[in-house]
Amino acid sequence: MIRIVQLYPRDMNLYGDWGNARVLQKRLEWRGIDAEIVDHNPGDDTDLGSGDIFLGGGGQDAGQDKIQEDLQHHIDELGRLVEDGVPMLLICGMYQLLGRTFVTGEGKIITGAGILPLDTRAGTDRLIGNITLESEEFGAIVGYENHSGQTFLDDTVQPLGKVVRGAGNNNTDGTEGVRLHNTIATYLHGSLLPKNPKIADFLIAKALERRGIPTENLRSLEIDALAHTAQNIATERPR
């Protein structure tokens, strides 16, 4: 049984991010592997250490405020999980919150989890629309961004991809997202995984490897033809 843990889905679930969990569950089940989705919301007594894949979505400022205390309580454990190579996909708000700091438009510094080596500051413009990336690891990546935060990575980490169309991390340096160990963090909503099966299978493969389950023969799925069609259509849609 592969355990997919959703972090704070009650408050951090904008623009279809919950769909990422369903994609992982179905892709595992189609390959004959049982999977369960476990939600962790503020105050829950969840055994995070038993999770195989972690997902976190985007949320409004009010949602981020609601989870701050619980997130601080679990910082050390989440940090160990990232360092240990547990696969994670963190979208938008959770991407920002696991960084070091977020500087508001008024100059207030909000301390993040400090797990990801990056800082974010509020921008004056909202970066919104369809976005396309190119990644050496995953090829073409498509999604939808909607954020005003401007995120800047340390030189010690690589972005998820280079922006082909859209704004990305900060609308300045042409990068989008971050890759650290087996964690992927990004501003791409959509939900992301239905249109990007290579990323979904990366998360699955890393989870199986940690369980000692061979991944060499992860069979391809016929439905991926539809996913690639959706990806092509999304690429051609206007910004």
Side-chain angles (χ1 to χ4, degrees):
M1 174 74 72
I2 295 297
R3 200 175 199 218
I4 302 164
V5 179
Q6 291 197 114
L7 297 172
Y8 312 114
R10 188 171 63 207
D11 300 302
M12 306 293 287
N13 177 28
L14 290 180
Y15 313 118
D17 292 332
W18 206 96
N20 291 323
R22 293 292 292 149
V23 167
L24 292 174
Q25 184 181 43
K26 294 306 294 185
R27 292 183 75 84
L28 282 159
E29 290 177 350
W30 285 332
R31 288 160 166 148
I33 302 169
D34 291 334
E36 66 172 345
I37 298 172
V38 177
D39 292 349
H40 175 76
N41 288 299
D44 289 348
D45 186 22
T46 310
D47 179 12
L48 296 183
S50 67
D52 295 297
I53 304 175
F54 285 78
L55 302 174
Q60 297 175 337
D61 290 347
Q64 296 188 30
D65 288 341
K66 290 178 181 178
I67 73 168
Q68 279 282 6
E69 183 177 350
D70 191 86
L71 177 63
Q72 293 294 321
H73 179 70
H74 292 288
I75 280 178
D76 289 344
E77 186 169 17
L78 288 171
R80 285 194 298 270
L81 292 169
V82 169
E83 289 294 321
D84 287 346
V86 175
M88 298 191 184
L89 175 64
L90 307 170
I91 308 294
C92 200
M94 288 300 295
Y95 175 20
Q96 297 172 346
L97 286 172
L98 264 69
R100 285 185 299 251
T101 60
F102 186 98
V103 182
T104 69
E106 295 74 34
K108 177 183 177 182
I109 299 177
I110 299 173
T111 301
I115 295 171
L116 300 178
L118 54 91
D119 298 282
T120 302
R121 63 172 179 259
T124 56
D125 299 321
R126 194 150 195 91
L127 309 175
I128 183 169
N130 294 308
I131 178 170
T132 305
L133 315 178
E134 185 61 36
S135 162
E136 292 184 7
E137 189 172 10
F138 301 112
I141 302 172
V142 299
Y144 182 84
E145 62 181 335
N146 186 351
H147 60 103
S148 57
Q150 305 269 326
T151 295
F152 296 86
L153 313 180
D154 285 6
D155 293 338
T156 56
V157 289
Q158 296 296 316
L160 171 61
K162 292 290 186 180
V163 177
V164 176
R165 178 187 58 161
N169 282 333
N170 51 57
N171 205 25
T172 301
D173 61 20
T175 68
E176 208 294 316
V178 67
R179 286 280 288 108
L180 178 66
H181 305 305
N182 290 327
T183 293
I184 296 171
T186 174
Y187 279 114
L188 272 62
H189 297 280
S191 52
L192 176 66
L193 295 184
K195 295 188 293 291
N196 299 279
K198 288 184 179 179
I199 297 178
D201 280 353
F202 166 82
L203 298 168
I204 288 171
K206 294 304 179 183
L208 295 178
E209 287 173 6
R210 288 178 53 80
R211 287 288 201 94
I213 301 172
T215 60
E216 295 85 354
N217 297 319
L218 269 185
R219 65 180 179 87
S220 59
L221 300 172
E222 292 183 6
I223 199 170
D224 286 352
L226 291 176
H228 293 310
T229 298
Q231 190 179 68
N232 292 334
I233 292 172
T235 301
E236 295 170 0
R237 292 184 66 183
R239 166 83 172 152

